[in-house]
Amino acid sequence: DAMVIQNPRYQVTQFGKPVTLSCSQTLNHNVMYWYQQKSSQAPKLLFHYYDKDFNNEADTPDNFQSRRPNTSFCFLDIRSPGLGDAAMYLCATSSNRGSNEKLFFGSGTQLSVL
Amino acid sequence: GQNIDQPTEMTATEGAIVQINCTYQTSGFNGLFWYQQHAGEAPTFLSYNVLDGLEEKGRFSSFLSRSKGYSYLLLKELQMKDSASYLCAPLDSNYQLIWGAGTKLIIKP
Protein backbone atom coordinates (compact mmCIF):
# COMPACT_ATOMS: atom_id res chain seq x y z
CA ASP A 1 0.00 0.00 0.00
CA ALA A 2 1.16 3.51 -0.77
CA MET A 3 1.94 5.30 2.42
CA VAL A 4 3.99 7.70 4.51
CA ILE A 5 6.58 6.06 6.73
CA GLN A 6 8.37 7.65 9.63
CA ASN A 7 11.32 6.20 11.47
CA PRO A 8 11.87 5.70 14.25
CA ARG A 9 8.52 5.56 16.04
CA TYR A 10 10.19 6.60 19.31
CA GLN A 11 13.45 8.49 19.58
CA VAL A 12 15.34 9.33 22.75
CA THR A 13 18.18 11.83 22.60
CA GLN A 14 20.29 13.74 25.06
CA PHE A 15 20.11 17.45 25.65
CA GLY A 16 22.21 19.14 22.97
CA LYS A 17 22.90 15.98 20.95
CA PRO A 18 21.93 16.33 17.27
CA VAL A 19 19.16 14.07 16.08
CA THR A 20 17.67 13.32 12.66
CA LEU A 21 14.15 12.12 12.00
CA SER A 22 13.27 10.56 8.68
CA CYS A 23 10.20 10.33 6.51
CA SER A 24 9.60 8.52 3.26
CA GLN A 25 6.57 8.32 1.00
CA THR A 26 5.46 6.02 -1.77
CA LEU A 27 2.57 8.26 -2.85
CA ASN A 28 4.73 10.32 -5.24
CA HIS A 29 3.27 13.47 -3.73
CA ASN A 30 4.76 16.85 -4.54
CA VAL A 31 4.36 18.39 -1.10
CA MET A 32 5.92 17.19 2.15
CA TYR A 33 5.39 18.78 5.55
CA TRP A 34 6.97 18.58 8.99
CA TYR A 35 4.78 19.34 11.99
CA GLN A 36 5.58 19.49 15.68
CA GLN A 37 2.77 18.55 18.05
CA LYS A 38 2.85 18.74 21.82
CA SER A 39 0.30 17.06 24.04
CA SER A 40 -3.24 18.47 23.67
CA GLN A 41 -2.02 21.18 21.31
CA ALA A 42 -2.56 21.89 17.64
CA PRO A 43 0.04 20.61 15.18
CA LYS A 44 2.53 23.38 14.44
CA LEU A 45 3.92 23.59 10.92
CA LEU A 46 7.72 23.77 10.88
CA PHE A 47 8.48 23.53 7.15
CA HIS A 48 7.08 22.33 3.91
CA TYR A 49 8.51 21.48 0.52
CA TYR A 50 6.61 22.01 -2.68
CA ASP A 51 8.71 19.76 -4.88
CA LYS A 52 12.22 21.17 -4.25
CA ASP A 53 10.96 24.57 -3.16
CA PHE A 54 11.64 24.88 0.58
CA ASN A 55 9.29 26.94 2.76
CA ASN A 56 10.31 27.78 6.29
CA GLU A 57 7.68 29.05 8.71
CA ALA A 58 8.66 32.42 10.18
CA ASP A 59 8.60 31.20 13.77
CA THR A 60 10.47 27.92 13.23
CA PRO A 61 13.62 28.05 15.37
CA ASP A 62 17.01 27.98 13.64
CA ASN A 63 17.71 24.84 15.62
CA PHE A 64 15.46 22.97 13.17
CA GLN A 65 16.60 22.23 9.65
CA SER A 66 15.21 20.07 6.89
CA ARG A 67 16.42 18.28 3.78
CA ARG A 68 14.55 16.74 0.89
CA PRO A 69 17.12 14.94 -1.27
CA ASN A 70 14.49 13.49 -3.60
CA THR A 71 10.72 13.20 -4.01
CA SER A 72 10.43 10.23 -1.67
CA PHE A 73 12.49 11.28 1.34
CA CYS A 74 12.49 14.15 3.77
CA PHE A 75 14.55 14.63 6.93
CA LEU A 76 14.19 16.79 10.00
CA ASP A 77 17.45 17.70 11.73
CA ILE A 78 17.42 19.12 15.25
CA ARG A 79 20.89 20.51 15.79
CA SER A 80 20.86 20.98 19.55
CA PRO A 81 17.71 19.56 21.10
CA GLY A 82 16.42 21.23 24.23
CA LEU A 83 13.91 19.96 26.74
CA GLY A 84 11.25 22.08 25.04
CA ASP A 85 11.73 20.17 21.79
CA ALA A 86 10.27 16.99 23.25
CA ALA A 87 7.16 16.41 21.15
CA MET A 88 5.56 14.29 18.47
CA TYR A 89 6.98 15.08 15.04
CA LEU A 90 4.60 14.41 12.20
CA CYS A 91 5.50 14.10 8.55
CA ALA A 92 2.70 14.56 6.05
CA THR A 93 2.29 14.70 2.30
CA SER A 94 -0.23 16.06 -0.16
CA SER A 95 -0.46 15.64 -3.88
CA ASN A 96 -0.32 19.38 -4.47
CA ARG A 97 -1.17 22.63 -2.75
CA GLY A 98 -4.79 23.51 -3.25
CA SER A 99 -8.25 23.73 -1.83
CA ASN A 100 -9.16 20.11 -1.35
CA GLU A 101 -5.74 18.56 -0.93
CA LYS A 102 -5.99 16.43 2.17
CA LEU A 103 -2.88 15.50 4.11
CA PHE A 104 -1.61 11.96 4.50
CA PHE A 105 0.31 11.56 7.74
CA GLY A 106 2.98 9.15 8.82
CA SER A 107 2.66 7.51 12.22
CA GLY A 108 4.85 10.16 13.81
CA THR A 109 8.08 10.09 15.81
CA GLN A 110 7.75 10.72 19.53
CA LEU A 111 10.95 12.52 20.59
CA SER A 112 12.13 12.50 24.18
CA VAL A 113 15.01 14.71 25.33
CA LEU A 114 16.89 13.68 28.46
CA GLY B 1 -5.10 37.27 13.54
CA GLN B 2 -6.14 33.73 12.79
CA ASN B 3 -8.04 31.82 15.42
CA ILE B 4 -9.81 28.50 15.85
CA ASP B 5 -12.15 27.86 18.73
CA GLN B 6 -13.44 24.40 19.64
CA PRO B 7 -14.33 22.83 22.99
CA THR B 8 -11.42 21.22 24.80
CA GLU B 9 -13.28 18.09 25.84
CA MET B 10 -16.69 16.46 25.43
CA THR B 11 -18.23 13.30 26.86
CA ALA B 12 -20.93 11.19 25.22
CA THR B 13 -22.52 7.78 25.61
CA GLU B 14 -22.03 4.81 23.32
CA GLY B 15 -24.82 4.68 20.73
CA ALA B 16 -25.68 8.37 21.11
CA ILE B 17 -25.11 11.39 18.84
CA VAL B 18 -22.60 14.17 19.49
CA GLN B 19 -21.94 17.48 17.73
CA ILE B 20 -18.50 19.09 17.91
CA ASN B 21 -18.53 22.78 17.07
CA CYS B 22 -15.77 24.89 15.60
CA THR B 23 -15.66 28.62 14.98
CA TYR B 24 -12.84 30.15 13.02
CA GLN B 25 -11.33 33.43 11.89
CA THR B 26 -8.84 33.21 9.06
CA SER B 27 -7.20 35.44 6.48
CA GLY B 28 -9.22 34.26 3.53
CA PHE B 29 -10.87 30.88 3.30
CA ASN B 30 -10.40 27.91 1.01
CA GLY B 31 -12.37 25.22 2.78
CA LEU B 32 -12.28 23.45 6.11
CA PHE B 33 -11.03 20.02 7.11
CA TRP B 34 -11.86 17.77 10.03
CA TYR B 35 -9.29 15.22 11.18
CA GLN B 36 -9.53 12.47 13.78
CA GLN B 37 -6.53 11.78 16.00
CA HIS B 38 -6.33 8.85 18.41
CA ALA B 39 -4.02 9.29 21.38
CA GLY B 40 -0.37 8.90 20.39
CA GLU B 41 -1.21 8.54 16.71
CA ALA B 42 -1.22 10.78 13.64
CA PRO B 43 -4.32 12.61 12.41
CA THR B 44 -6.46 10.94 9.77
CA PHE B 45 -8.72 12.73 7.32
CA LEU B 46 -12.45 12.77 8.01
CA SER B 47 -14.04 15.46 5.86
CA TYR B 48 -13.60 18.56 3.74
CA ASN B 49 -16.20 21.30 3.23
CA VAL B 50 -15.83 24.28 0.95
CA LEU B 51 -19.48 25.14 0.28
CA ASP B 52 -22.17 25.89 2.82
CA GLY B 53 -24.26 22.98 3.96
CA LEU B 54 -24.09 19.47 5.29
CA GLU B 55 -21.87 16.70 3.89
CA GLU B 56 -22.80 13.23 5.07
CA LYS B 57 -20.38 10.33 5.07
CA GLY B 58 -21.66 7.27 6.88
CA ARG B 59 -21.91 7.89 10.63
CA PHE B 60 -20.05 11.18 10.31
CA SER B 61 -21.40 14.43 8.86
CA SER B 62 -19.79 17.85 8.61
CA PHE B 63 -21.52 21.20 8.28
CA LEU B 64 -20.17 24.56 7.15
CA SER B 65 -21.47 28.13 7.29
CA ARG B 66 -18.94 30.45 5.70
CA SER B 67 -20.82 33.63 6.59
CA LYS B 68 -20.78 32.66 10.27
CA GLY B 69 -17.27 31.24 10.33
CA TYR B 70 -18.73 28.07 11.78
CA SER B 71 -18.51 24.35 11.25
CA TYR B 72 -19.57 21.28 13.14
CA LEU B 73 -18.83 17.59 13.03
CA LEU B 74 -21.75 15.30 13.82
CA LEU B 75 -21.07 11.76 14.94
CA LYS B 76 -23.97 9.30 15.08
CA GLU B 77 -24.29 5.84 16.65
CA LEU B 78 -21.19 6.45 18.71
CA GLN B 79 -18.81 3.56 19.20
CA MET B 80 -16.05 3.19 21.77
CA LYS B 81 -13.46 3.44 18.98
CA ASP B 82 -14.68 7.00 18.30
CA SER B 83 -12.90 8.10 21.47
CA ALA B 84 -10.28 10.44 20.01
CA SER B 85 -9.47 14.07 19.44
CA TYR B 86 -11.21 15.85 16.57
CA LEU B 87 -9.30 18.68 14.95
CA CYS B 88 -10.91 21.47 12.97
CA ALA B 89 -8.59 23.01 10.35
CA PRO B 90 -9.62 25.71 7.90
CA LEU B 91 -7.44 26.61 4.90
CA ASP B 92 -6.48 30.26 4.65
CA SER B 93 -5.90 32.35 1.52
CA ASN B 94 -2.37 30.92 1.16
CA TYR B 95 -3.70 27.34 1.33
CA GLN B 96 -2.15 26.96 4.77
CA LEU B 97 -4.00 24.78 7.26
CA ILE B 98 -4.81 26.62 10.47
CA TRP B 99 -5.17 23.90 13.09
CA GLY B 100 -7.32 23.99 16.19
CA ALA B 101 -6.06 22.28 19.35
CA GLY B 102 -8.77 19.67 18.94
CA THR B 103 -11.73 18.44 20.95
CA LYS B 104 -11.08 15.34 23.03
CA LEU B 105 -14.15 13.13 22.80
CA ILE B 106 -14.65 10.59 25.57
CA ILE B 107 -17.19 7.83 24.93
CA LYS B 108 -18.68 6.08 27.94
CA PRO B 109 -20.46 2.70 27.82
Side-chain angles (χ1 to χ4, degrees), chain A:
Chain A
D1 287 341
M3 54 199 308
V4 182
I5 302 164
Q6 287 187 248
N7 284 306
R9 183 72 178 86
Y10 299 94
Q11 175 75 56
V12 181
T13 190
Q14 292 179 331
F15 183 95
K17 184 175 181 181
V19 65
T20 295
L21 310 182
S22 70
C23 177
S24 64
Q25 54 124 344
T26 59
L27 298 161
N28 204 32
H29 281 175
N30 283 323
V31 194
M32 294 188 79
Y33 307 80
W34 278 107
Y35 283 92
Q36 178 195 65
Q37 188 179 26
K38 298 185 177 180
S39 182
S40 301
Q41 295 185 20
K44 178 182 182 302
L45 182 64
L46 297 173
F47 321 93
H48 76 276
Y49 283 89
Y50 181 69
D51 195 13
K52 295 179 182 178
D53 181 27
F54 175 71
N55 297 270
N56 190 27
E57 294 303 299
D59 57 354
T60 298
D62 292 340
N63 197 25
F64 291 83
Q65 311 259 309
S66 184
R67 296 169 282 137
R68 188 180 185 186
N70 54 52
T71 301
S72 301
F73 286 88
C74 197
F75 300 96
L76 174 63
D77 301 307
I78 309 177
R79 292 194 294 186
S80 182
L83 298 178
D85 297 327
M88 172 79 87
Y89 290 88
L90 296 163
C91 173
T93 71
S94 64
S95 179
N96 276 299
R97 287 187 301 209
S99 294
N100 62 345
E101 293 290 345
K102 65 182 181 183
L103 299 186
F104 294 80
F105 283 88
S107 57
T109 295
Q110 183 67 51
L111 178 68
S112 300
V113 181
L114 303 180

Side-chain angles (χ1 to χ4, degrees), chain B residues 9 16 30-31 33-34 37 44 53 65 67 69 84:
Chain B
E9 188 174 296
N30 280 298
F33 289 85
W34 283 94
Q37 186 174 25
T44 54
S65 169
S67 62

Side-chain angles (χ1 to χ4, degrees), chain B residues 3-77:
Chain B
N3 186 59
I4 312 300
D5 191 22
Q6 49 181 135
T8 303
E9 188 174 296
M10 298 180 71
T11 302
T13 305
E14 191 176 14
I17 298 173
V18 71
Q19 178 175 311
I20 302 174
N21 296 323
C22 170
T23 57
Y24 62 87
Q25 291 177 306
T26 54
S27 302
F29 181 76
N30 280 298
L32 184 143
F33 289 85
W34 283 94
Y35 282 82
Q36 180 192 58
Q37 186 174 25
H38 285 98
E41 298 183 11
T44 54
F45 169 80
L46 286 178
S47 67
Y48 171 73
N49 294 64
V50 66
L51 299 176
D52 289 351
L54 187 69
E55 297 264 351
E56 297 188 68
K57 195 186 292 185
R59 293 190 298 115
F60 292 9
S61 302
S62 55
F63 172 84
L64 176 67
S65 169
R66 289 172 295 172
S67 62
K68 294 181 180 178
Y70 168 68
S71 175
Y72 68 72
L73 183 69
L74 190 72
L75 292 76
K76 302 177 186 175
E77 301 168 19

